[in-house]
Amino acid sequence: QVHLVESGGGLVQPGGSLRLSCAASGSAISNYYMAWYRQAPGKQRELVASSVNGYNNYADSVKGRFTISRDNVKNTVFLQMNSLKPEDTAVYYCYANVYGASWGQGTQVTVSS
């Protein structure tokens, strides 16, 4: 397994942007499945974006606004979030499947005026 630490969350106005980071340690992530999930209050955790072997996939609700990327030298995965909406408010979690599932502790994203 790998240890994951998210950062970059915060409060942003509608239409704004944030960039989340997920730093991995304990194993290289370059060839493994990485993803971002989110969980809003009272709702189930949902998949936002995933990346593996150069293929990226996105939830319909974030397509065209969010971009997942990775820096294999820094062993870090990013989630660039643009045109944020109030409904994007949630705790965002990093997920890795490296010899088993690993989750980060989560970072709060609040979109509000």
Side-chain angles (χ1 to χ4, degrees), residues 2-77:
V2 63
H3 182 61
L4 304 172
V5 178
E6 301 100 333
S7 61
L11 173 64
V12 63
Q13 291 186 343
S17 298
L18 282 175
R19 188 191 195 205
L20 305 183
S21 299
C22 172
S25 59
S27 182
I29 63 168
S30 55
N31 297 320
Y32 294 94
Y33 178 91
M34 300 292 296
W36 286 95
Y37 284 74
R38 68 185 180 188
Q39 187 166 19
K43 295 188 177 181
Q44 289 189 331
R45 192 172 296 190
E46 63 173 352
L47 178 64
V48 174
S50 64
S51 170
V52 63
N53 294 331
Y55 293 96
N56 299 335
N57 286 291
Y58 300 92
D60 287 343
S61 59
V62 306
K63 279 182 181 176
R65 301 188 298 122
F66 290 12
T67 303
I68 188 171
S69 62
R70 60 173 78 196
D71 184 330
N72 291 329
V73 174
K74 295 182 178 179
N75 223 33
T76 300
V77 176

Side-chain angles (χ1 to χ4, degrees), residues 77-93:
V77 176
F78 303 98
L79 185 68
Q80 178 67 44
M81 306 186 294
N82 299 328
S83 302
L84 283 161
K85 305 175 181 180
E87 51 263 43
D88 294 318
T89 295
V91 178
Y92 284 70
Y93 297 91

